[in-house]
C-alpha cells in the first residue's frame, strides 16, 4: 500500500504533514485525495477545496460539523463555482442550509430548491412550479416582446403579479429572412428603442420575429426571459448547451422544451434541482406532457 495512504490512516497526523502530502499529488481524483478529505486534521481551506469535487464523501469526515463552522473557503467561492456545485445531487443538507444564506441571491435560491434540502416534489407540483416561476424569477421588459410573438404562455402570464397585455406594434418592413433551426440572424436588440433591428436599421419582419427573439433571448442574461426562450426555441444546439448551464432555470427551460432530444433527459433526472428533476422524469414517463 502507498505509504501516504498508510500515513493518512493515522488520526493524529499533523496538519503540516497532510499539506505536504497534498502538495505532492495536487490531483483531485484518486484514493489519496479522498483520504485527505476524510482526515479529521484536514485544514478547513483544503477540506472545502476538495469538497467541491467530492461533496458526498466529505460528510463522512469526523470533524465535518466543526468544519461547517469554518466554511469561509466555501462561501467565498465565486457564484459560478457554487452554481456548478449545486447541480450535483449528492450535497449534504447541512451544506445546502449554509448556502441558502449565501450573499449571491441566485446561489441562495438554487440551494433552497435543491432536492436534498427541499425534498422531491409532491402531487400537484406543476401549479407550484408555475407560481414559483412567476414570483421568483426576475422579470424585465423583454416579456413584452415574448408576449407579442406568442411566446409568453397564458398560464404563466396569469400568475404574474401584473399580467402583460402589450399594445400592437406599428406595421413593419416586408423584408424577410428565411428562418431555420440554427440561423444566425443579422440583427441586434436596440435597448434604447426597445426593439430588434437589422444591421441596416430596418425593423425585423413580423414573420421572422418569434424565432429571432427566442434565439436571442435564450443566449442572453436575465432570468424569466431566457427561461421562456429556452423552453420554446427550436435550436437543439442551444438546448443541449443549456442542459449543463450553471443556473437552474436555464436547465429547466431546456428540460421543458420538446425540441430537446429525449436522450438528454436521463442526465437531467439526476440534477440537483428538484424542479429540473421532476420535469425530466415527467417527460420521460409521458412524452406528451406539457407544463404550458
Amino acid at each position: 500500500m502507498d505509504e501516504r495512504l498508510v500515513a493518512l490512516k493515522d488520526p493524529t497526523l499533523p496538519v503540516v504533514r497532510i499539506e505536504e502530502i497534498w502538495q505532492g499529488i495536487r490531483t483531485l481524483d484518486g484514493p489519496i485525495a479522498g483520504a485527505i478529505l476524510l482526515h479529521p486534521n484536514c485544514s478547513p481551506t483544503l477540506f472545502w477545496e476538495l469538497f467541491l469535487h467530492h461533496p458526498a464523501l466529505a460528510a463522512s469526515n469526523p470533524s465535518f460539523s466543526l468544519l461547517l463552522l469554518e466554511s469561509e473557503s466555501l462561501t467565498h467561492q465565486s457564484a459560478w463555482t457554487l452554481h456548478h456545485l449545486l447541480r450535483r445531487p449528492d450535497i449534504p443538507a447541512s451544506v445546502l442550509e449554509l448556502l441558502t444564506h449565501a450573499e449571491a441571491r441566485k446561489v441562495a435560491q438554487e440551494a433552497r430548491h435543491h432536492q436534498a434540502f427541499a425534498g422531491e416534489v409532491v402531487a400537484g407540483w406543476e401549479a407550484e412550479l408555475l407560481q414559483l416561476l412567476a414570483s421568483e424569477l426576475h422579470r424585465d421588459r423583454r416579456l413584452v416582446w415574448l408576449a407579442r410573438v406568442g411566446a409568453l404562455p397564458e398560464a404563466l402570464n396569469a400568475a404574474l403579479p401584473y399580467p402583460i397585455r402589450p399594445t400592437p406594434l406599428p406595421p413593419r418592413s416586408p423584408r424577410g429572412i428565411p428562418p431555420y433551426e440554427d440561423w444566425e440572424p443579422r440583427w441586434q436588440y436596440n435597448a434604447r428603442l426597445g426593439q430588434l433591428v437589422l444591421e441596416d436599421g430596418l425593423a425585423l419582419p413580423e414573420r421572422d420575429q418569434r424565432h429571432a427573439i427566442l434565439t436571442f433571448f435564450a443566449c442572453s442574461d436575465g432570468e424569466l426571459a431566457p427561461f421562456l426562450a429556452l423552453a420554446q426555441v427550436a435550436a437543439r444546439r442551444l438546448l443541449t448547451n443549456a442542459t449543463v448551464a450553471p443556473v437552474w432555470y436555464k436547465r429547466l427551460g431546456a428540460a421543458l422544451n420538446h425540441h430537446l432530444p429525449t436522450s438528454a433527459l436521463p442526465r437531467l433526472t439526476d440534477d440537483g434541482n428538484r424542479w429540473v428533476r421532476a420535469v425530466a422524469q415527467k417527460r420521460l414517463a409521458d412524452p406528451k406532457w406539457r407544463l404550458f
Side-chain angles (χ1 to χ4, degrees), residues 37 47-58 64 68 71 73-92 94-100 102 107 110-111 114-116 244-248 251 270-273:
L37 184 63
F47 175 85
W48 291 113
E49 180 180 350
L50 293 172
F51 172 86
L52 293 172
H53 303 274
H54 307 282
L57 184 62
F64 183 61
L68 283 172
S71 57
S73 296
L74 174 67
T75 55
H76 289 172
Q77 292 286 337
S78 68
W80 186 90
T81 297
L82 294 176
H83 278 304
H84 277 280
L85 171 68
L86 289 165
R87 284 170 45 196
R88 300 182 59 126
D90 54 355
I91 304 174
S94 52
V95 174
L96 290 168
E97 183 175 5
L98 186 71
L99 292 177
T100 61
V107 171
E110 187 127 17
H114 197 281
Q115 60 86 23
V244 292
V247 288
W248 68 276
R251 301 195 304 276
D270 198 35
D271 196 276
N273 184 274

Side-chain angles (χ1 to χ4, degrees), residues 1-285:
M1 179 182 289
D2 192 312
E3 63 178 15
R4 293 168 296 185
L5 285 174
V6 174
L8 288 166
K9 288 183 177 293
D10 179 5
T12 65
L13 191 68
V15 175
V16 174
R17 178 58 183 143
I18 295 174
E19 294 286 347
E20 288 176 353
I21 294 174
W22 168 244
Q23 293 299 327
I25 60 167
R26 296 297 300 180
T27 178
L28 296 167
D29 298 316
I32 296 178
I36 292 174
L37 184 63
L38 291 173
H39 200 283
N41 288 341
C42 182
S43 69
T45 301
L46 179 53
F47 175 85
W48 291 113
E49 180 180 350
L50 293 172
F51 172 86
L52 293 172
H53 303 274
H54 307 282
L57 184 62
S60 299
N61 187 307
S63 301
F64 183 61
S65 58
L66 294 176
L67 288 161
L68 283 172
L69 301 176
E70 300 183 70
S71 57
E72 293 85 359
S73 296
L74 174 67
T75 55
H76 289 172
Q77 292 286 337
S78 68
W80 186 90
T81 297
L82 294 176
H83 278 304
H84 277 280
L85 171 68
L86 289 165
R87 284 170 45 196
R88 300 182 59 126
D90 54 355
I91 304 174
S94 52
V95 174
L96 290 168
E97 183 175 5
L98 186 71
L99 292 177
T100 61
H101 303 288
E103 291 184 9
R105 182 184 66 85
K106 291 183 182 180
V107 171
Q109 181 189 73
E110 187 127 17
R112 287 196 302 272
H113 297 311
H114 197 281
Q115 60 86 23
F117 181 77
E120 299 287 357
V121 300
V122 296
W125 60 268
E126 292 92 341
E128 184 183 354
L129 176 56
L130 280 173
Q131 190 60 46
L132 171 74
L133 294 169
S135 60
E136 283 204 14
L137 295 190
H138 177 71
R139 304 178 295 277
D140 57 50
R141 63 182 179 179
R142 289 177 296 175
L143 295 183
V144 175
W145 277 94
L146 290 170
R148 281 174 174 157
V149 296
L152 178 58
E154 185 54 37
L156 183 57
N157 193 18
L160 294 175
Y162 302 98
I164 294 173
R165 308 295 179 208
T167 56
L169 290 174
R172 296 195 173 274
S173 163
R175 180 176 173 182
I177 298 175
Y180 51 90
E181 183 172 303
D182 287 321
W183 168 51
E184 298 293 341
R186 297 183 300 106
W187 51 266
Q188 59 185 352
Y189 180 74
N190 188 310
R192 183 177 62 82
L193 298 176
Q195 66 180 21
L196 294 162
V197 296
L198 296 173
E199 287 179 346
D200 58 10
L202 292 176
L204 193 68
E206 193 75 28
R207 64 179 176 272
D208 298 331
Q209 280 201 19
R210 180 181 170 88
H211 178 74
I213 287 176
L214 291 178
T215 302
F216 180 55
F217 289 175
C219 302
S220 66
D221 293 330
E223 297 185 12
L224 189 54
F227 158 74
L228 286 169
L230 284 166
Q232 300 171 81
V233 69
R236 290 191 175 188
R237 184 174 59 190
L238 285 178
L239 294 171
T240 301
N241 291 340
T243 61
V244 292
V247 288
W248 68 276
Y249 47 84
K250 288 193 173 184
R251 301 195 304 276
L252 180 66
L256 284 166
N257 195 315
H258 284 256
H259 291 99
L260 179 72
T262 54
S263 59
L265 290 173
R267 177 175 58 189
L268 293 176
T269 62
D270 198 35
D271 196 276
N273 184 274
R274 66 197 301 243
W275 304 111
V276 176
R277 293 165 69 95
V279 166
Q281 291 166 3
K282 186 72 173 180
R283 280 199 55 204
L284 283 174

